[in-house]
Amino acid sequence: MRILLLDKNHPLITEQLLAANFVLEEDFTSPYDEVCRKIENYDGVIIRSRIPLDQNFLEKAKNLKFIARVGAGMENIDIAVAEKLGIQLINSPEGNRDSVAEHVVGMLLILMNRLFIASNEVKNGIWLREENRGDELLGKTVGLIGYGNMGKATAKRLSGFGCKVIFHDILPNLSDEFATQVPLEELKKRAAVLSLHIPLTDSTNYLVDAQFISEMKNDFYFVNTARGKNVETSSLIKSLQSGKVKGACLDVLEYEKASFENLETENEDLQYLLNSEKVIVTPHIAGWTHQSKEKLAQVIVDKILAEFFN
């Protein structure tokens, strides 16, 4: 089988697939049109986010048997067309679930205990104690939307902090020792912390908007390590200004490029997020640890070998 690698990943992918007698070609720079012209020559493609695999691309991939995405989200692939053409889709959310879960907890602890603010103040000669009094996770009800790999790993860690973790998911019967499944309406009534762990689809685009936020009974902390466009930023900002959202931890932004390597647009809403003491922003790195880079790659290799290695 001939496989085209379109993004740089951990070298174990190349090493292990070559050892299994796959034929590999790396192309980390060619633009979309050039890749489209040659994709018919390959049986498989391994990607992260550099190039969209849309209907035009997939229809030119006459011999493509699989697409492997080193990561969780599949929104840069036209899934309906791929399935219609019989192309198998592979991803690796198992590889960075622990990284994402730790990032969620880390951001919450920094935000709720004003750690970044207080540290910067002391470094600048400012010693304020009462003004930096923190807020504990212990005893809070955390609501997760989405209970796949990321949601489960996050619940496991938050339960260790003494949180009551509840979640909503479109699939039934997912409750476990770390979290209890509830209807979305109940989650909105109970949650003091809200964290998203969902893909970007037509039904989750701007899921958290003005109406959603208004339906939350409690003032709450908000965390998004999923996709930027799961949230309507303008509504989030209004809620931060009103105090309905007590603080936000954002690893993803509505204004990111599709390939996630930088911001696509800058505006007043973005500037508010970057300058507010109630907001922590990181550059889409929740799943981006040294360990997850290797685990993501290994999961992809294992799945390819399990399916196609004889």
Side-chain angles (χ1 to χ4, degrees):
M1 294 185 71
R2 299 188 67 195
I3 301 176
L4 179 63
L5 289 77
L6 289 175
D7 297 272
K8 291 182 180 180
N9 286 293
H10 195 284
L12 72 81
I13 291 180
T14 301
E15 294 166 2
Q16 294 184 24
L17 291 180
L18 284 174
N21 295 318
F22 288 85
V23 178
L24 306 182
E25 179 182 333
E26 296 177 345
D27 185 347
F28 304 148
T29 58
S30 292
Y32 171 87
D33 289 341
E34 288 186 23
V35 178
C36 281
R37 281 195 287 270
K38 66 179 181 179
I39 191 59
E40 67 179 352
N41 299 318
Y42 299 94
D43 302 290
V45 60
I46 299 176
I47 63 166
R48 282 209 322 261
S49 304
R50 185 172 73 85
I51 287 179
L53 276 58
D54 56 13
Q55 181 173 352
N56 174 64
F57 181 100
L58 296 173
E59 289 178 347
K60 286 180 167 57
K62 304 295 185 182
N63 298 300
L64 204 61
K65 297 176 177 62
F66 74 88
I67 298 166
R69 196 205 169 224
V70 184
M74 306 285 272
E75 69 272 10
N76 62 327
I77 303 167
D78 191 324
I79 294 174
V81 172
E83 291 177 344
K84 181 180 178 181
L85 295 173
I87 300 170
Q88 183 171 342
L89 301 178
I90 302 169
N91 64 344
S92 54
E94 304 92 337
N96 62 351
R97 60 189 174 193
D98 297 313
S99 173
V100 169
E102 290 188 12
H103 199 88
V104 170
V105 174
M107 286 198 297
L108 280 170
L109 292 174
I110 289 169
L111 179 72
M112 295 170 66
N113 292 282
R114 298 176 59 87
L115 300 181
F116 185 73
I117 296 168
S119 177
N120 278 341
E121 287 176 351
V122 173
K123 289 180 179 181
N124 286 283
I126 302 169
W127 189 272
L128 297 175
R129 298 184 67 228
E130 185 59 36
E131 293 84 349
N132 284 310
R133 193 179 287 275
D135 193 7
E136 296 179 4
L137 274 170
L138 178 66
K140 285 186 169 53
T141 297
V142 179
L144 310 178
I145 299 184
Y147 206 62
N149 283 279
M150 314 303 177
K152 291 176 183 178
T154 300
K156 181 177 181 179
R157 283 154 181 81
L158 287 172
S159 65
F161 280 82
C163 297
K164 173 67 175 177
V165 185
I166 57 177
F167 69 90
H168 172 72
D169 195 283
I170 59 174
L171 298 177
N173 305 317
L174 298 179
S175 295
D176 58 24
E177 60 187 303
F178 303 114
T180 303
Q181 189 163 8
V182 299
L184 184 57
E185 294 73 20
E186 182 177 345
L187 184 146
K188 290 177 179 178
K189 291 178 181 178
R190 296 173 56 189
V193 179
L194 176 67
S195 185
L196 301 187
H197 301 276
I198 50 179
L200 182 61
T201 65
D202 289 342
S203 62
T204 64
N205 189 68
Y206 291 159
L207 174 69
V208 178
D209 57 10
Q211 180 176 344
F212 185 106
I213 293 171
S214 71
E215 292 169 352
M216 294 288 289
K217 179 180 179 181
N218 305 310
D219 296 345
F220 65 99
Y221 295 100
F222 177 68
V223 186
N224 189 11
T225 55
R227 288 292 184 262
K229 290 184 179 179
N230 292 140
V231 182
E232 188 178 61
T233 306
S234 58
S235 297
L236 175 63
I237 288 172
K238 290 176 183 176
S239 301
L240 285 161
Q241 292 169 332
S242 72
K244 179 67 177 180
V245 176
K246 299 167 73 172
C249 303
L250 306 175
D251 181 56
V252 291
L253 294 168
E254 181 180 348
Y255 315 111
E256 290 179 76
K257 291 182 178 179
S259 54
F260 308 136
E261 83 273 17
N262 211 325
L263 294 174
E264 186 171 39
T265 58
E266 295 190 22
N267 53 42
E268 290 183 4
D269 285 346
L270 175 61
Q271 289 306 310
Y272 176 88
L273 296 176
L274 298 180
N275 292 308
S276 174
E277 288 191 346
K278 298 171 70 174
V279 181
I280 291 177
V281 182
T282 53
H284 205 128
I285 57 168
W288 210 249
T289 61
H290 296 292
Q291 293 80 8
S292 71
K293 182 177 183 180
E294 180 172 353
K295 288 189 284 187
L296 284 165
Q298 190 64 63
V299 169
I300 284 293
V301 169
D302 290 346
K303 289 182 177 181
I304 292 173
L305 293 179
E307 186 66 28
F308 298 103
F309 181 64
N310 295 318

